[in-house]
Amino acid sequence: MEGTVYKSTGSWYTVRTGEGDFYECRIKGKFRLKGIKSTNPVSVGDEVVFEVDGASENAQGIITEIKDRKNYIIRKSVNLSKQTHIIAANLDQVFLIVTLNNPPTFTSFIDRFLVTSEAYHIPAILLFNKIDTYKEEELDEIKYLANLYREIGYTCIGISAKTGKNVDKVKELMIGKTSMFSGHSGVGKSTLVNAIEPQLDLKTKKISSQHMQGQHTTTFAEMFDLECGAKIIDTPGIKGFGIVDMEKEEIGDYFPEFFKLKGECKFNNCLHMDEPHCAVKKALENNEVAWSRYKSYVQMLSGEQENYRMDIYGEK
């Protein structure tokens, strides 16, 4: 039998067949995926082949094959730094939900997420949530950030999952597609999913005021079919987003504004660091490239682990 993985809890996988039947499945032995040392060989969104074990009503399945993925999005595993964690597979787009505070989402995190989505050819959209809660100067900061990323070519939408502002715009972008929602714990992923499809009634929790961090409400990735003809993958909140398996020479190619200038650099293998006649450094000096983006790039190049609490807004 064939189906799509809708939920993964690490050892069990909920698989939905084309007829709409759900089976709880396990994997037989270990899957060796091409060059991927992953903590989870099967991820939500995977198309799989499975055999049903037993003829009872609660028959369980055994996954025997994972079909080739159109794409997937991956990050460094939190527990085992040398291993990776595939968040979801076969995506049409990813939404990164950003909050200025409560909890803070810094540009280093946004940029790592965007670089990964570029590397795996998944269109990314930035949703600036909780705009109903910001003061005027905070709204100016949001506008500045949205403008920065729009100029690079990313779609940015200011939303309020709580009041419903621009939720219809998000819904419109999702119709007929498989989308993933990601972001730190507490940014409002589950609240947004509930605003789009109230009958799902996903659990939400309040922000921990002591640390201004969200509490994990989603503990594993799960896919939902929406009435509007969209599929959505809700993911656990993530603190950091370590980039995986990228050569130094290719990281700059995943910054679209750097890639655009690459041909004007004196050296075709320019790392945009200390090389003479570098078009990216020149654009940086002329404020045509954002300092926050360049700083993120340097961090990635040096292999520095992202500190998601570090504020680098506007820093030079």
Side-chain angles (χ1 to χ4, degrees):
M1 296 178 79
E2 295 185 6
T4 305
V5 177
Y6 266 57
K7 186 169 160 185
S8 156
T9 60
S11 51
W12 285 96
Y13 304 92
T14 304
V15 178
R16 183 186 189 270
T17 64
E19 290 75 41
D21 298 320
F22 287 90
Y23 289 87
E24 292 300 312
C25 297
R26 302 190 86 135
I27 53 174
K28 193 174 185 179
K30 287 188 175 180
F31 276 95
R32 302 276 176 222
L33 295 181
K34 302 164 197 166
I36 302 173
K37 284 184 180 176
S38 173
T39 55
N40 61 325
V42 181
S43 74
V44 172
D46 270 329
E47 300 290 333
V48 297
V49 177
F50 66 101
E51 294 168 358
V52 177
D53 182 19
S56 68
E57 200 177 301
N58 298 320
Q60 293 168 357
I62 294 171
I63 294 170
T64 56
E65 185 191 334
I66 304 168
K67 296 192 162 189
D68 285 346
R69 292 168 171 147
K70 175 174 78 175
N71 58 36
Y72 55 91
I73 195 155
I74 194 168
R75 71 186 182 104
K76 276 187 183 170
S77 171
V78 178
N79 305 324
L80 303 156
S81 60
K82 287 190 177 171
Q83 288 212 299
T84 58
H85 180 79
I86 298 166
I87 304 172
N90 300 317
L91 297 160
D92 293 310
Q93 60 194 3
V94 291
F95 289 93
L96 181 64
I97 296 146
V98 173
T99 45
L100 191 65
N101 47 44
N102 195 29
T105 309
F106 297 128
T107 46
S108 55
F109 178 84
I110 297 170
D111 295 336
R112 283 167 188 267
F113 187 91
L114 293 176
V115 160
T116 300
S117 67
E118 290 283 345
Y120 290 91
H121 310 292
I122 305 167
I125 296 157
L126 298 180
L127 302 179
F128 293 90
N129 194 18
K130 305 188 184 180
I131 57 169
D132 56 309
T133 66
Y134 298 132
K135 295 169 187 161
E136 199 174 330
E137 61 270 23
E138 291 169 329
L139 281 172
D140 287 343
E141 186 69 75
I142 290 285
K143 284 173 188 167
Y144 165 78
L145 279 174
N147 190 51
L148 186 161
Y149 288 105
R150 272 194 200 107
E151 282 190 0
I152 295 164
Y154 293 105
T155 298
C156 298
I157 307 171
I159 64 164
S160 169
K162 206 171 181 183
T163 67
K165 185 175 172 65
N166 287 338
V167 167
D168 54 334
K169 285 187 182 177
V170 178
K171 195 171 179 177
E172 213 171 288
L173 291 170
M174 294 169 60
I175 293 169
K177 294 178 179 175
T178 299
S179 307
M180 181 183 95
F181 279 17
S182 196
H184 293 320
S185 290
V187 292
K189 293 185 301 297
S190 298
T191 305
L192 179 56
V193 177
N194 287 340
I196 291 165
E197 189 99 340
Q199 55 269 45
L200 284 178
D201 195 24
L202 299 189
K203 286 178 188 168
T204 60
K205 274 189 190 168
K206 287 184 177 169
I207 298 284
S208 153
S209 56
Q210 189 182 351
H211 301 294
M212 291 301 281
Q213 284 176 255
Q215 300 170 53
H216 294 277
T217 47
T218 309
T219 52
F220 36 76
E222 185 168 3
M223 181 146 68
F224 300 96
D225 292 314
L226 306 188
E227 280 189 358
C228 63
K231 291 182 191 292
I232 184 171
I233 298 174
D234 188 26
T235 61
I238 46 182
K239 283 187 178 181
F241 205 92
I243 58 170
V244 179
D245 293 338
M246 288 187 201
E247 300 297 327
K248 282 186 176 184
E249 293 75 21
E250 66 177 312
I251 293 173
D253 292 352
Y254 303 133
F255 284 75
E257 71 274 42
F258 294 7
F259 185 66
K260 216 180 273 182
L261 295 165
K262 191 180 178 181
E264 296 170 36
C265 292
K266 184 178 181 181
F267 301 106
N268 59 10
N269 61 347
C270 185
L271 284 178
H272 321 306
M273 293 287 284
D274 306 313
E275 299 89 342
H277 307 294
C278 167
V280 171
K281 290 293 288 282
K282 189 180 173 186
L284 188 66
E285 284 158 18
N286 294 335
N287 288 318
E288 292 159 6
V289 164
W291 282 94
S292 62
R293 291 277 287 170
Y294 185 72
K295 183 154 187 175
S296 293
Y297 168 71
V298 172
Q299 279 183 344
M300 291 179 215
L301 209 62
S302 64
E304 233 179 90
Q305 283 306 305
E306 170 210 14
N307 177 356
Y308 86 106
R309 292 177 181 279
M310 186 170 64
D311 188 353
I312 59 167
Y313 289 132
E315 228 182 69
K316 295 188 180 183

